[in-house]
Amino acid sequence: MVESLSLGRREVVNKATASMMVGGILSTRPWLLPDRAIASSDSADGRNTPNPSCISYQIIPDGSVKLNPTLKPIASTDLTRIFSMTNSNSGGALWLGEHHNSAMDHDLQANFLRYVHDERKKAGNSKMAVGLEMVQVQFQPALDAYVFGKITSEEMRRQVEWDKRWSWSFENYLKVFETCRELNIPMIALNVDSEDLGLVEVGGFPALPREQIQKYIIDPNGFAEFAKSRYYKTYVDYVISPSYDLHKKLGILRTTITGQQLEEDMPFTRFFSGRILWDEGMASNAYKWSKSNPGGLIIGLVGADHVKFEGGITGRYKRLANGNYDSISVILNPTLIDTRPSGSVSMATNSAASAVGDGASQISLQLRYLKEGVNMGSPESRKPENTGGVLPLADYIVLSQSPREV
């Protein structure tokens, strides 16, 4: 047990962001935004779905000269069938990108688990599991014991060291856990052990023992190549770099994930290394389950930040799957903050947009990236013919019908 985890950067981020962002937009260093395609409020109203609890859309990206993505409304019955992957013999992963503090998101997740389980059972293939970002791989035995009915939820909470290593409300997730136990759905720990992530944040990948690296990075060549593409560099500029800047603005880069104090701010390379180990480790653990359970479906409950724009866990799982397994990405209750660079939207602005129902009509549905050799910000970068492609926010977005809890 690592006692310093209770003072880790995760807790500091949670508290500092809540207190510092409410007053207004936090500025970050000047940088050039990739072209953003904004959702049109006229693209679909989506409110004809027979399920009163949510509104669902498929994101249709557009890499043409128009760069005009749209939203296609999806009926709840169709959505359940799609999420269940009952038309596919290969199985795969369904990623439900959440906001860790949102009870509404977790209620949606629990409902989808039940609907998907029932749909797959009717189709004669109920093999499925639930992957959890909230639990680190060293605590897999505790998850097994809970699903098998050997320990209570409170005992599981203690054994996975939830309050030290995750810190978000355990009660908000309880419906998810109870559904898995009731339906006998295995829960799979996805997250990297904090001890290993802390080593990387201090000393980079060379600080992590080889056997530990192999536990999280099972495809080293693919892992290295993934970071070289133009689309991933655009993702880093839009998602990871601003996150680093926000951490720096909040003054919390002298604390590792384990609470270790550093003499100076963590350099971007170490911050970046920790982030990609996190994403790659979760993708690898999900992939290992898929490989061991042909035709099965793993439903990953992970933060929306790891799902959006394909550069996190979803793109890495697809790379590992290499077409052998399907992958569907979903953002639950997306808001402005989810689709804009960290620190560029205030909590107040985000809440106001959600309150008036404009959140879904203003979110960025895709990112444009440029062809190799074309520099961001140059006159050539604005020419449509120099578009290398687009990164969709996700495959689907799902909105709760009742007002969003922030």
Side-chain angles (χ1 to χ4, degrees):
M1 181 182 298
V2 182
E3 295 297 331
S4 62
L5 288 177
S6 60
L7 299 177
R9 194 175 71 241
R10 175 182 293 280
E11 184 174 352
V12 177
V13 171
N14 298 349
K15 293 180 178 179
T17 303
S19 63
M20 295 186 67
M21 290 187 68
V22 171
I25 298 177
L26 291 178
S27 60
T28 60
R29 61 176 172 78
W31 64 300
L32 295 173
L33 294 176
D35 288 347
R36 294 193 306 269
I38 309 301
S40 168
S41 59
D42 297 328
S43 59
D45 85 6
R47 297 182 182 271
N48 293 322
T49 174
N51 186 346
S53 64
C54 66
I55 307 165
S56 307
Y57 303 92
Q58 181 181 8
I59 296 177
I60 310 298
D62 182 12
S64 73
V65 294
K66 295 182 178 180
L67 292 173
N68 182 34
T70 55
L71 295 173
K72 176 184 176 182
I74 304 293
S76 62
T77 51
D78 293 334
L79 192 70
T80 299
R81 176 182 51 78
I82 293 168
F83 285 3
S84 301
M85 296 188 186
T86 52
N87 292 334
S88 170
N89 293 325
S90 59
L94 169 66
W95 305 104
L96 299 180
E98 66 173 47
H99 305 85
H100 304 315
N101 63 337
S102 172
M104 293 179 69
D105 286 8
H106 303 314
D107 285 346
L108 279 176
Q109 289 170 333
N111 289 336
F112 278 129
L113 293 182
R114 189 175 297 278
Y115 298 151
V116 168
H117 176 271
D118 291 347
E119 185 75 15
R120 289 181 62 84
K121 187 175 181 180
K122 287 189 296 183
N125 182 0
S126 58
K127 185 186 300 183
M128 58 185 289
V130 172
L132 301 175
E133 180 193 2
M134 311 91 220
V135 181
Q136 297 169 13
V137 294
Q138 62 183 298
F139 301 121
Q140 183 61 50
L143 297 183
D144 295 340
Y146 173 76
V147 172
F148 293 152
K150 296 180 179 179
I151 61 175
T152 66
S153 60
E154 279 302 313
E155 288 173 320
M156 179 181 71
R157 177 178 185 169
R158 178 181 55 80
Q159 290 185 24
V160 304
E161 300 181 14
W162 182 280
D163 297 320
K164 292 183 178 181
R165 295 178 183 258
W166 190 244
S167 80
W168 300 104
S169 170
F170 182 83
E171 288 72 21
N172 283 350
Y173 289 89
L174 192 54
K175 186 176 178 180
V176 168
F177 302 149
E178 290 174 342
T179 300
C180 289
R181 181 165 173 162
E182 174 192 345
L183 301 178
N184 197 32
I185 300 174
M187 297 193 297
I188 307 300
L190 294 182
N191 212 340
V192 173
D193 293 336
S194 291
E195 294 85 350
D196 295 331
L197 184 58
L199 290 175
V200 172
E201 290 185 334
V202 172
F205 282 108
L208 195 61
R210 182 178 180 85
E211 59 271 19
Q212 296 303 96
I213 292 179
Q214 292 174 338
K215 180 168 69 173
Y216 304 121
I217 303 175
I218 59 178
D219 173 31
N221 292 332
F223 174 72
E225 288 299 317
F226 189 78
K228 296 179 181 179
S229 68
R230 187 60 181 264
Y231 95 77
Y232 187 70
K233 294 175 183 176
T234 299
Y235 170 84
V236 171
D237 287 343
Y238 195 79
V239 177
I240 300 181
S241 293
S243 178
Y244 176 81
D245 290 340
L246 179 59
H247 279 69
K248 190 175 183 70
K249 180 74 175 182
L250 295 173
I252 52 178
L253 284 176
R254 296 194 178 188
T255 305
T256 69
I257 196 71
T258 60
Q260 179 178 344
Q261 298 300 307
L262 306 175
E263 293 183 358
E264 56 185 19
D265 283 352
M266 185 187 307
F268 177 76
T269 53
R270 299 289 187 263
F271 181 88
F272 177 73
S273 295
R275 173 61 182 262
I276 61 177
L277 176 65
W278 196 327
D279 284 333
E280 185 76 12
M282 290 195 293
S284 294
N285 288 325
Y287 171 75
K288 286 187 283 189
W289 186 91
S290 295
K291 190 174 181 180
S292 299
N293 295 272
L297 172 65
I298 184 167
I299 301 180
L301 309 187
V302 299
D305 211 40
H306 296 284
V307 173
K308 65 185 184 185
F309 299 124
E310 294 192 3
I313 187 173
T314 56
R316 294 174 183 278
Y317 178 87
K318 285 182 179 179
R319 187 200 81 235
L320 291 164
N322 195 29
N324 293 318
Y325 311 113
D326 295 330
S327 180
I328 296 174
S329 60
V330 185
I331 302 291
L332 303 176
N333 293 309
T335 64
L336 300 181
I337 283 180
D338 295 317
T339 67
R340 307 293 172 85
S342 296
S344 66
V345 177
S346 71
M347 292 294 289
T349 301
N350 188 65
S351 298
S354 298
V356 299
D358 286 342
S361 66
Q362 297 182 35
I363 63 174
S364 302
L365 293 181
Q366 65 182 32
L367 294 181
R368 171 184 180 246
Y369 62 91
L370 300 172
K371 292 180 177 178
E372 294 290 344
V374 180
N375 295 322
M376 181 67 68
S378 67
E380 290 76 15
S381 68
R382 296 299 175 184
K383 297 179 180 179
E385 61 268 24
N386 286 327
T387 297
V390 295
L391 303 176
L393 171 63
D395 296 318
Y396 298 89
I397 59 175
V398 177
L399 311 175
S400 297
Q401 286 275 43
S402 53
R404 177 178 168 75
E405 294 178 356
V406 178

